[in-house]
Amino acid sequence: MFDLTGKTALVTGATGGLGAAIARSLHAQGAKVVLSGTRESVLAELAAELGAKRPDSAFIVAANLSDAAQVDGLVAKAEAVAGSGLDILIANAGITRDGLILRMKDEDWETVIKVNLEAYFRLARAATKGMMKRRHGRIIGITSIVGVTGNPGQTNYAASKAGMIGFSKALAQEVASRNITVNCIAPGFIASPMTDELNEAQRAAILAKIPAGALGEGSDIAAAAVYLASAEAGYVTGQTLHVNGGMAMI
Amino acid sequence: MSEVLERVRKIVIDHLDADPDKVTEKASFIDDLEADSLDIVELVMAFEEEFDIEIPDDSAEHILTVGDAVSYIDGKLKS
């Protein structure tokens, strides 16, 4: 089950912990992966790690997702370096520019919407073209629990993540007849270099809200991505899979 | 039969997996050839690629039959 042999996946934000975990898991299931991000040396390191396990199975395309032209060209570049059409798009790249609304600058709003939401639209549009011709595709947006529950200080981020969910539902209806599914994964609180820096009191306050009593791991999200990318999930579309230890039950 | 018609017919037959006998100039994509709205978008994109032209949305809306496509493309190629 969940075999991805012969499939090609593009993972954006692959330099981050979550993106790298997703790329590793898709690769472990047999997929060819194209890693995208801004830091080329980090991408190269991950590609070397995965390539050592299986030759010609990991490629990199550096891209800055706040640049529309780079985003528009990313899918074609990924297909060119991998030498195959894209089967799986994982739109994982995301940024935050937190601030209470009275202090939120136009630029903080615009940048977050551009990188988190607009880039998802541009990538999905580019990917859909080939997927429709090939009559197969998996588009997966990594959104956030915050897009559904809200969070003070994150009006921009929450709007971008909620936007991804609405976008995915509309696109899912457009392309369902072509055997293309479009779904989101909404992580809750995931362990990261940022959460490692929380003090004990902050940590305890967060854990008190999570019935599972622990932060999530990148591998928890990666497993959800493998499922949604698989042939077995072909009847699942327009959905948001919440992976949050019970922090919100929606 | 014009060359444009032949190329349009080939795209339509390939794309819609249609019976070549049914793909006449009068054939309506939706009513006769069982195309859906997504097929129409794909066909228009395929025409754009094949003939290296741009078909704006408001023109595409009026391309309902094989003949419509041929006369639109003919007009574009001559202009």
Side-chain angles (χ1 to χ4, degrees), chain A residues 219-242:
Chain A
S219 56
D220 294 319
I221 307 306
V226 165
Y227 168 63
L228 290 174
S230 72
E232 284 79 0
Y235 200 53
V236 178
T237 195
Q239 303 301 314
T240 299
L241 182 47
H242 289 268

Short mmCIF file of all heavy atoms in Angstrom, two decimals, chain A residues 219-242:
data_model
loop_
_atom_site.label_atom_id
_atom_site.label_comp_id
_atom_site.label_asym_id
_atom_site.label_seq_id
_atom_site.Cartn_x
_atom_site.Cartn_y
_atom_site.Cartn_z
N SER A 219 7.34 13.84 10.84
CA SER A 219 6.95 12.55 10.26
C SER A 219 5.44 12.31 10.34
O SER A 219 4.88 11.59 9.51
CB SER A 219 7.70 11.41 10.97
OG SER A 219 7.46 11.47 12.35
N ASP A 220 4.78 12.93 11.32
CA ASP A 220 3.32 12.80 11.41
C ASP A 220 2.65 13.45 10.20
O ASP A 220 1.67 12.94 9.65
CB ASP A 220 2.79 13.49 12.69
CG ASP A 220 3.27 12.79 13.95
OD1 ASP A 220 3.28 11.54 13.96
OD2 ASP A 220 3.63 13.49 14.91
N ILE A 221 3.18 14.59 9.79
CA ILE A 221 2.64 15.31 8.64
C ILE A 221 3.02 14.58 7.35
O ILE A 221 2.22 14.45 6.42
CB ILE A 221 3.19 16.76 8.59
CG1 ILE A 221 2.95 17.46 9.93
CG2 ILE A 221 2.57 17.54 7.44
CD1 ILE A 221 1.52 17.45 10.43
N ALA A 222 4.25 14.09 7.32
CA ALA A 222 4.73 13.38 6.13
C ALA A 222 3.88 12.14 5.84
O ALA A 222 3.59 11.83 4.68
CB ALA A 222 6.19 13.00 6.31
N ALA A 223 3.46 11.46 6.90
CA ALA A 223 2.64 10.26 6.71
C ALA A 223 1.29 10.62 6.08
O ALA A 223 0.77 9.90 5.22
CB ALA A 223 2.42 9.56 8.05
N ALA A 224 0.75 11.76 6.50
CA ALA A 224 -0.51 12.22 5.90
C ALA A 224 -0.31 12.55 4.43
O ALA A 224 -1.16 12.27 3.59
CB ALA A 224 -1.02 13.45 6.67
N ALA A 225 0.84 13.14 4.11
CA ALA A 225 1.14 13.50 2.71
C ALA A 225 1.27 12.24 1.86
O ALA A 225 0.77 12.20 0.72
CB ALA A 225 2.41 14.34 2.64
N VAL A 226 1.94 11.23 2.40
CA VAL A 226 2.09 9.96 1.66
C VAL A 226 0.71 9.38 1.36
O VAL A 226 0.43 8.96 0.23
CB VAL A 226 2.95 8.95 2.46
CG1 VAL A 226 2.81 7.54 1.89
CG2 VAL A 226 4.41 9.38 2.45
N TYR A 227 -0.15 9.38 2.35
CA TYR A 227 -1.50 8.84 2.16
C TYR A 227 -2.24 9.59 1.05
O TYR A 227 -2.74 8.99 0.10
CB TYR A 227 -2.30 8.90 3.46
CG TYR A 227 -3.77 8.64 3.26
CD1 TYR A 227 -4.19 7.39 2.78
CD2 TYR A 227 -4.72 9.62 3.48
CE1 TYR A 227 -5.54 7.14 2.54
CE2 TYR A 227 -6.06 9.38 3.25
CZ TYR A 227 -6.47 8.15 2.78
OH TYR A 227 -7.79 7.92 2.54
N LEU A 228 -2.29 10.92 1.16
CA LEU A 228 -3.05 11.70 0.18
C LEU A 228 -2.43 11.62 -1.22
O LEU A 228 -3.13 11.78 -2.22
CB LEU A 228 -3.16 13.16 0.63
CG LEU A 228 -4.06 13.39 1.86
CD1 LEU A 228 -3.98 14.85 2.31
CD2 LEU A 228 -5.51 13.00 1.57
N ALA A 229 -1.13 11.36 -1.29
CA ALA A 229 -0.46 11.26 -2.59
C ALA A 229 -0.66 9.89 -3.23
O ALA A 229 -0.44 9.72 -4.42
CB ALA A 229 1.04 11.52 -2.41
N SER A 230 -1.11 8.93 -2.44
CA SER A 230 -1.15 7.54 -2.91
C SER A 230 -2.36 7.25 -3.78
O SER A 230 -3.35 7.99 -3.78
CB SER A 230 -1.16 6.59 -1.70
OG SER A 230 -2.44 6.66 -1.07
N ALA A 231 -2.28 6.16 -4.50
CA ALA A 231 -3.41 5.69 -5.30
C ALA A 231 -4.59 5.36 -4.39
O ALA A 231 -5.75 5.55 -4.76
CB ALA A 231 -3.00 4.45 -6.09
N GLU A 232 -4.29 4.90 -3.19
CA GLU A 232 -5.34 4.47 -2.25
C GLU A 232 -6.25 5.63 -1.85
O GLU A 232 -7.39 5.42 -1.45
CB GLU A 232 -4.71 3.84 -1.00
CG GLU A 232 -4.19 2.42 -1.20
CD GLU A 232 -2.82 2.37 -1.89
OE1 GLU A 232 -2.25 3.43 -2.21
OE2 GLU A 232 -2.32 1.25 -2.10
N ALA A 233 -5.74 6.87 -1.92
CA ALA A 233 -6.55 8.03 -1.52
C ALA A 233 -7.28 8.66 -2.71
O ALA A 233 -7.73 9.81 -2.63
CB ALA A 233 -5.66 9.06 -0.82
N GLY A 234 -7.41 7.91 -3.79
CA GLY A 234 -8.00 8.46 -5.01
C GLY A 234 -9.43 8.98 -4.87
O GLY A 234 -9.89 9.80 -5.66
N TYR A 235 -10.14 8.48 -3.86
CA TYR A 235 -11.54 8.88 -3.68
C TYR A 235 -11.67 10.01 -2.65
O TYR A 235 -12.78 10.41 -2.29
CB TYR A 235 -12.36 7.65 -3.25
CG TYR A 235 -13.84 7.77 -3.47
CD1 TYR A 235 -14.36 8.10 -4.73
CD2 TYR A 235 -14.74 7.54 -2.44
CE1 TYR A 235 -15.73 8.19 -4.93
CE2 TYR A 235 -16.11 7.62 -2.63
CZ TYR A 235 -16.60 7.95 -3.88
OH TYR A 235 -17.95 8.04 -4.08
N VAL A 236 -10.55 10.51 -2.19
CA VAL A 236 -10.54 11.59 -1.19
C VAL A 236 -10.16 12.89 -1.89
O VAL A 236 -9.05 13.01 -2.41
CB VAL A 236 -9.49 11.30 -0.09
CG1 VAL A 236 -9.46 12.44 0.93
CG2 VAL A 236 -9.79 9.98 0.61
N THR A 237 -11.08 13.83 -1.97
CA THR A 237 -10.71 15.11 -2.60
C THR A 237 -11.49 16.27 -2.00
O THR A 237 -12.61 16.10 -1.50
CB THR A 237 -10.87 15.05 -4.14
OG1 THR A 237 -10.17 16.17 -4.70
CG2 THR A 237 -12.33 15.08 -4.59
N GLY A 238 -10.84 17.44 -2.00
CA GLY A 238 -11.45 18.64 -1.43
C GLY A 238 -11.45 18.63 0.10
O GLY A 238 -12.13 19.44 0.72
N GLN A 239 -10.66 17.75 0.68
CA GLN A 239 -10.69 17.60 2.13
C GLN A 239 -9.50 18.28 2.80
O GLN A 239 -8.49 18.56 2.16
CB GLN A 239 -10.66 16.11 2.51
CG GLN A 239 -11.79 15.30 1.89
CD GLN A 239 -13.16 15.82 2.31
OE1 GLN A 239 -13.41 16.08 3.48
NE2 GLN A 239 -14.05 15.97 1.33
N THR A 240 -9.64 18.53 4.08
CA THR A 240 -8.51 18.99 4.89
C THR A 240 -8.29 17.96 5.98
O THR A 240 -9.19 17.68 6.77
CB THR A 240 -8.79 20.37 5.52
OG1 THR A 240 -9.00 21.31 4.46
CG2 THR A 240 -7.63 20.83 6.37
N LEU A 241 -7.10 17.38 5.96
CA LEU A 241 -6.77 16.36 6.97
C LEU A 241 -6.04 17.06 8.12
O LEU A 241 -4.96 17.61 7.94
CB LEU A 241 -5.89 15.29 6.30
CG LEU A 241 -5.44 14.10 7.12
CD1 LEU A 241 -6.58 13.48 7.92
CD2 LEU A 241 -4.83 13.03 6.20
N HIS A 242 -6.69 17.08 9.28
CA HIS A 242 -6.11 17.74 10.45
C HIS A 242 -5.23 16.76 11.22
O HIS A 242 -5.68 15.68 11.59
CB HIS A 242 -7.21 18.26 11.37
CG HIS A 242 -7.94 19.44 10.78
ND1 HIS A 242 -7.56 20.73 11.03
CD2 HIS A 242 -8.98 19.51 9.92
CE1 HIS A 242 -8.35 21.57 10.37
NE2 HIS A 242 -9.22 20.85 9.68
#
